[in-house]
Amino acid sequence: MKKIFISAMILLSATMVSAQDFRIGVKGTFNSTWLFNNNVADQGNRADYAATFGTSFGLASILYFTENVGVSLDILYASNPQKLEGDNDAGTSYESTTRVKYLDLPLLLRISSSGGPYVEFGPQFNLLMGATEDFAASPSSPDAYTDRDVKDYFSSFGIAPVLGFGVDIEASDNWFINIGLRFSYGINDATKKLSKEEIDIKDDNKQSSAFGNFAHYNAENPPEYVYQKTNRAFGGFTLGVIYKLD
């Protein structure tokens, strides 16, 4: 990952030599977030996906090397949570919220037209920063927990294609307001396969993850150990304030 980041910075630096203009600013996003896993989807009443939303914020940079074509690199601290709801075999209901944190590095080709509209696409590189989970049952259960560290269940690196649309609205000679939409679907596994023995140890030590366990067990009764990969996905709005360097 370090090599990819350094290569991206070298690419931006080299391209500045022939750049039409260079812009830098801050950006935030509000997204519908998902962790898609076939085991979770097949659980029936045991697990249902619930609407979940996350945000990201950080630095944005855009380098135009022609009037209408450029490349952007953002450095965003992102949250990709996932809520699950369901009924367990004991007849109680539960809700879990898994919050996965990433450092997202989208490196995108941008094609714009006069007036500010643009389309952007390219790869995004994801570095895992942490993961925590809450679990609550109704009626209350001693198995409930809050802010449990479940980072061990998730992959440290990811890559995903990104597609975006938007407009840069000129607020003054050098300042722009960026409004857009961005969508992404990860191509690698967002969770990490653990052995059945490792899962059992975490269960015994009260370090388990509801989402992580579903990823490792199918919907049979009793469940069988059959791991399925997880795809991270998000889509939503972007808002930024961008300054054009003369």
Side-chain angles (χ1 to χ4, degrees):
M1 181 60 212
K2 182 179 179 180
K3 292 181 179 179
I4 293 173
F5 181 70
I6 293 174
S7 298
M9 297 305 296
I10 292 174
L11 175 62
L12 283 177
S13 299
T15 312
M16 286 183 66
V17 175
S18 58
Q20 285 283 108
D21 66 63
F22 179 68
R23 307 178 187 188
I24 191 167
V26 293
K27 177 177 289 184
T29 72
F30 179 77
N31 298 311
S32 173
T33 59
W34 300 88
L35 294 171
F36 289 114
N37 184 284
N38 285 339
N39 273 349
V40 176
D42 292 340
Q43 291 294 328
N45 291 334
R46 292 181 184 175
D48 290 315
Y49 281 102
T52 317
F53 302 93
T55 60
S56 70
F57 62 90
L59 299 176
S61 62
I62 311 163
L63 186 65
Y64 280 100
F65 40 85
T66 72
E67 185 177 353
N68 301 113
V69 180
V71 63
S72 69
L73 174 64
D74 299 340
I75 303 174
L76 303 173
Y77 184 74
S79 173
N80 201 105
Q82 179 64 70
K83 290 183 180 180
L84 298 178
E85 299 173 343
D87 301 312
N88 63 27
D89 295 333
T92 61
S93 62
Y94 75 90
E95 179 179 288
S96 68
T97 303
T98 309
R99 303 179 183 87
V100 192
K101 306 287 187 180
Y102 293 97
L103 184 67
D104 286 343
L105 304 171
L107 181 62
L108 309 178
L109 180 68
R110 176 181 285 210
I111 302 173
S112 64
S113 60
S114 59
Y118 66 86
V119 60
E120 59 182 1
F121 53 90
Q124 174 173 282
F125 307 102
N126 315 313
L127 276 176
L128 180 67
M129 303 300 289
T132 60
E133 188 175 87
D134 299 341
F135 181 89
S138 179
S140 60
S141 166
D143 293 330
Y145 52 84
T146 301
D147 205 32
R148 175 176 288 178
D149 187 349
V150 294
K151 184 178 179 180
D152 289 347
Y153 286 87
F154 290 88
S155 300
S156 59
F157 172 74
I159 185 169
V162 172
L163 176 64
F165 310 89
V167 61
D168 289 324
I169 301 171
E170 188 173 357
S172 67
D173 289 342
N174 294 85
W175 288 96
F176 295 84
I177 304 298
N178 170 254
I179 302 173
L181 296 171
R182 228 177 233 187
F183 305 92
S184 177
Y185 189 87
I187 59 177
N188 70 304
D189 193 355
T191 46
K192 184 167 55 178
K193 184 177 181 180
L194 304 179
S195 68
K196 187 177 185 303
E197 290 72 22
E198 290 174 312
I199 295 289
D200 291 342
I201 290 172
K202 287 188 175 295
D203 288 343
D204 292 340
N205 293 333
K206 297 188 180 300
Q207 298 173 332
S208 62
S209 160
F211 188 93
N213 281 357
F214 279 129
H216 286 80
Y217 286 90
N218 63 19
E220 299 296 324
N221 192 9
E224 297 177 347
Y225 174 84
V226 180
Y227 178 75
Q228 294 281 356
K229 70 176 290 188
T230 302
N231 297 97
R232 176 197 176 194
F234 67 83
F237 298 95
T238 66
L239 179 64
V241 178
I242 309 297
Y243 180 75
K244 177 182 176 180
L245 299 177
D246 291 327

